[in-house]
Amino acid sequence: MPRNQSTAAQRARGAQRETGAKYTAALRQATAAGASPTRFSLRELLAECTTCPEWTGDHPEVDAEWAPRMFDSALLGGPVPYTTVLLLTGELASMGLSAEMTMESRAGFHALVVACVGRRFQLLLTQDDWVTELCLIPGCEHRPVAAALIPYCRDQHLAERSETELAKMAWAWGHDRRQEFERTPAAAHAGDQGDALIAAAVAQGAFSTVAAELVDGSYGDRDLIDETYLNDAEATAVQHAIDNEQLRLHKRAKSAAAHIRKLVGGLCICGAALHLAPEANVPARYCSAQCASSAVSAAGSGVTERP
């Protein structure tokens, strides 16, 4: 038995023994009943995957000829494809075998979601090799912008991060891009993922900070370019690339601000027109820092903003 917990799979097997119910139906009921999340290590999951015998039941969602080879996992609440678990193990290998995991949810024999050290994954249970990383927010079914580096979805949850979080993600993403373009440093750029960070920063009033972290991460400290690149031509190319990227990010920020203002009807909560440039570092749906601050205070006191 996994440490301290009774899993849905174990409850289902118990119900099957006591009542004679079909295992699949008992599992569905046990999963729906819910319980505190079972905590286990990546090592325990891998050991279970490599030692448990093959499950011989009938898959309720897939014809027998297409059904994946599965084992009855006590840790993951029921039958799970071997290959899918091995793929998940590969995704988490860099975290070490002692990394702690929990099963967030399970939808019968269709799919389940697990969380591990700041990452979430969906495992499809209807085929052998389908593991999809999800946004870090529990319950969200969208994919993250960039896996571990930007682990939130662009549709909602990235824009809810604080300036500090966005800045950290921006530098980490930029640094990753710098490593990718190590042989051609002037070709580095923030890309679509960086643009998502800029859009979130505009929503938070953090454009200047996030854009600076993206550029520094991607190209290094501008004041040290001549020391970093001893070749004059390469140093000049990187300086030019920085200028172009800063201009591009500014255009992206203006576009993101215009989109937000369109969604809110072009007016602040106080009725004033929205007009500030992203460099003002005021959230795009407010006309001033004072209005933004007042809105935060009102939210904290339970007062509802005007739609």
Side-chain angles (χ1 to χ4, degrees):
M1 178 182 294
R3 62 178 93 150
N4 304 324
Q5 300 288 342
S6 173
T7 68
Q10 291 166 331
R11 295 195 299 275
R13 283 192 288 270
Q16 183 185 34
R17 288 192 298 269
E18 294 173 8
T19 67
K22 288 186 177 180
Y23 176 78
T24 53
L27 174 63
R28 201 173 290 116
Q29 292 177 356
T31 303
S36 299
T38 300
R39 290 179 171 80
F40 52 92
S41 69
L42 180 58
R43 178 183 288 106
E44 289 174 298
L45 178 60
L46 183 58
E48 189 183 58
C49 176
T50 55
T51 59
C52 285
E54 185 171 355
W55 182 67
T56 57
D58 295 327
H59 199 299
E61 296 195 24
V62 183
D63 291 339
E65 62 177 311
W66 302 108
R69 293 185 58 202
M70 309 176 83
F71 66 96
D72 195 0
S73 171
L75 299 174
L76 296 180
V80 182
Y82 288 102
T83 306
T84 299
V85 171
L86 292 175
L87 283 174
L88 176 66
T89 302
E91 291 283 349
L92 298 175
S94 63
M95 299 184 184
L97 293 175
S98 297
E100 189 172 85
M101 308 175 64
T102 60
M103 187 180 76
E104 179 182 304
S105 63
R106 177 168 179 139
F109 277 76
H110 176 65
L112 63 86
V113 176
V114 296
C116 179
V117 193
R119 298 175 74 179
R120 296 172 63 242
F121 295 87
Q122 182 187 66
L123 281 63
L124 199 62
L125 306 179
T126 56
Q127 61 187 68
D128 275 322
D129 54 357
W130 190 277
V131 176
T132 303
E133 186 152 7
L134 300 177
C135 171
L136 189 56
I137 300 301
C140 182
E141 297 182 355
H142 297 292
R143 295 189 179 190
V145 172
L149 295 176
I150 311 176
Y152 301 96
C153 63
R154 72 176 66 220
D155 295 331
Q156 177 183 356
H157 295 117
L158 184 61
E160 296 175 353
R161 301 304 97 200
S162 68
E163 177 177 347
T164 300
E165 289 180 278
L166 291 172
K168 288 181 178 178
M169 286 186 280
W171 191 91
W173 175 249
H175 183 66
D176 185 75
R177 298 292 281 177
R178 187 179 181 187
Q179 291 182 315
E180 182 178 346
F181 290 92
E182 184 176 8
R183 294 186 178 182
T184 56
H189 57 87
D192 182 59
Q193 295 86 346
D195 289 350
L197 284 168
I198 290 297
V202 169
Q204 287 291 346
F207 167 69
S208 296
T209 299
V210 172
E213 292 296 324
L214 268 175
V215 172
D216 283 354
S218 297
Y219 302 100
D221 188 337
R222 184 166 196 161
D223 294 334
L224 300 177
I225 293 298
D226 290 335
E227 297 177 20
T228 303
Y229 304 101
L230 300 180
N231 182 296
D232 290 344
E234 189 170 49
T236 299
V238 172
Q239 292 278 14
H240 185 60
I242 291 175
D243 290 336
N244 287 339
E245 184 67 353
Q246 288 176 329
L247 178 60
R248 192 188 71 81
L249 293 178
H250 181 260
K251 290 180 178 178
R252 180 66 187 89
K254 290 182 66 176
S255 176
H259 176 68
I260 292 172
R261 290 164 183 170
K262 182 178 179 181
L263 291 178
V264 298
L267 296 177
C268 181
I269 55 172
C270 69
L274 298 172
H275 65 282
L276 294 178
E279 292 87 349
N281 294 323
V282 173
R285 64 195 184 102
Y286 299 109
C287 67
S288 67
Q290 290 75 18
C291 270
S293 178
S294 297
V296 172
S297 299
S301 64
V303 177
T304 303
E305 290 186 21
R306 178 182 67 82

